[in-house]
Amino acid sequence: MLYILLSICCSVIVSVMLKLAKRYQVDVVQAVMWNYVVAIALTWLFFKPQLVNLQAAPVYHLAALGVLLPVLFVVLATSVRLTGIVRTDIAQRLSLFIPILASYLIFHEHLSWLKIIGVVVGFAAIICSIPWQKGGGKATAGSWFYLLIVFVGMGVIDVLFKQLATFKSLPYTTSLFIVFILSFVCALILFIVKLVSKKTKFSFPHILIGGALGAFNFGNILFYLKAHKVLASQPSTVFTAMNIGVIVAGTLVGLIVFNEKLSTLNRVGVFLALAAIFVITYASY
């Protein structure tokens, strides 16, 4: 569970940075582009990926992740602008249903009744943790499509990373290196399009912002993959603990750093999330 905890910490820090980015009018596409430059450098520095036997690489999985990762950043920003933070948050958190379903249909995982109870409690925690009565704003016509992309995209990314972690012909660090390169290329194309259409300008501070984002983004994905390798026979444990853990950590950061207020329902959600993590962990061992 240590890898899951480390991944949760990195994920929450990335979320905090994106929240601050909106406040300080940071160009998300430009920051995401530099984020992948740093992620590529860190992967090469720490793991020295061997670019051999690439003919056996899962091309479709790598290509899908290379496009989904940067594009989903942009979709998330658009979804927040058109539908509000609350609706987008719901779509992100409920995407947990997709990898859990994949645990049964794709990975053929056997779940005990105790773990099923933990998952159900976790779903209840997710629903209770959402600030139903605050924020969100009015959704514009057709904006539901962005929520659908967020929901499906987040779930598919989780499943694809699980499959990369279990792929034996190519080391997962090499796969990760290739994914980061493809993601950078995709983000670069998006940035060039915005630059040519004069919707953004090159800004040196974005290199620093993207660099910090890349370091934590690298840690998030790396530890997430390691958790899947350690708990290869229990993908739903990783899926559920990761998502619920982010909620708990995010709530604490919101209270301490951003002085956010919690309703009674939100407090119940935090308690249920902690209970769910305990039940799922106990059932796993």
Side-chain angles (χ1 to χ4, degrees):
M1 298 299 288
L2 175 61
Y3 289 131
I4 296 177
L5 177 61
L6 292 173
S7 182
I8 288 171
C9 291
C10 291
S11 177
V12 171
I13 292 174
V14 169
S15 297
V16 170
M17 292 184 67
L18 290 177
K19 184 172 182 176
L20 293 176
K22 180 182 178 182
R23 177 185 300 177
Y24 295 105
Q25 299 181 334
V26 172
D27 179 15
V28 176
V29 172
Q30 195 170 167
V32 167
M33 179 184 69
W34 293 115
N35 141 79
Y36 288 119
V37 172
V38 173
I40 291 169
L42 289 175
T43 303
W44 181 264
L45 177 64
F46 285 99
F47 298 106
K48 300 293 189 299
Q50 301 297 316
L51 301 179
V52 295
N53 197 30
L54 296 182
Q55 66 275 10
V59 178
Y60 295 110
H61 293 75
L62 295 172
L65 283 169
V67 174
L68 282 174
L69 287 176
V71 169
L72 201 58
F73 267 112
V74 179
V75 173
L76 282 169
T78 305
S79 182
V80 169
R81 178 169 56 85
L82 295 180
T83 71
I85 296 175
V86 172
R87 294 183 180 90
T88 303
D89 199 27
I90 293 173
Q92 284 183 267
R93 295 176 184 187
L94 293 185
S95 68
L96 177 65
F97 282 101
I98 294 178
I100 289 294
L101 183 62
S103 296
Y104 299 106
L105 301 180
I106 299 177
F107 306 120
H108 308 293
E109 179 185 358
H110 172 72
L111 295 183
S112 65
W113 278 107
L114 186 59
K115 186 177 291 186
I116 291 175
I117 292 173
V119 171
V120 172
V121 173
F123 288 147
I126 291 174
I127 300 301
C128 291
S129 67
I130 296 171
W132 295 100
Q133 299 179 359
K134 293 185 178 180
K138 294 183 178 180
T140 59
S143 59
W144 61 269
F145 183 65
Y146 290 98
L147 291 175
L148 179 62
I149 295 177
V150 170
F151 174 79
V152 176
M154 293 294 289
V156 170
I157 285 174
D158 274 350
V159 174
L160 288 173
F161 270 125
K162 163 58 184 174
Q163 292 179 316
L164 279 187
T166 58
F167 193 76
K168 305 301 181 182
S169 300
L170 196 68
Y172 78 91
T173 51
T174 300
S175 296
L176 187 62
F177 183 70
I178 296 173
V179 167
F180 283 150
I181 291 176
L182 295 176
S183 296
F184 166 71
V185 172
C186 184
L188 177 61
I189 293 173
L190 292 175
F191 174 64
I192 292 175
V193 171
K194 291 190 66 176
L195 199 61
V196 172
S197 60
K198 298 182 179 179
K199 293 182 178 180
T200 189
K201 294 181 179 179
F202 173 81
S203 173
F204 179 77
H206 280 81
I207 299 177
L208 302 178
I209 296 170
L213 189 66
F216 290 110
N217 190 34
F218 170 79
N220 174 32
I221 297 176
L222 174 65
F223 293 128
Y224 184 66
L225 284 174
K226 282 184 173 292
H228 269 304
K229 289 186 73 70
V230 173
L231 299 173
S233 63
Q234 304 172 53
S236 68
T237 299
V238 180
F239 291 143
T240 309
M242 177 65 187
N243 282 273
I244 298 174
V246 167
I247 294 172
V248 175
T251 300
L252 294 176
V253 170
L255 287 172
I256 298 172
V257 179
F258 297 101
N259 296 317
E260 295 178 355
K261 304 298 182 181
L262 285 182
S263 66
T264 300
L265 187 63
N266 295 154
R267 293 189 179 93
V268 171
V270 174
F271 173 78
L272 290 177
L274 292 172
I277 293 175
F278 174 78
V279 171
I280 293 171
T281 304
Y282 180 80
S284 299
Y285 293 98

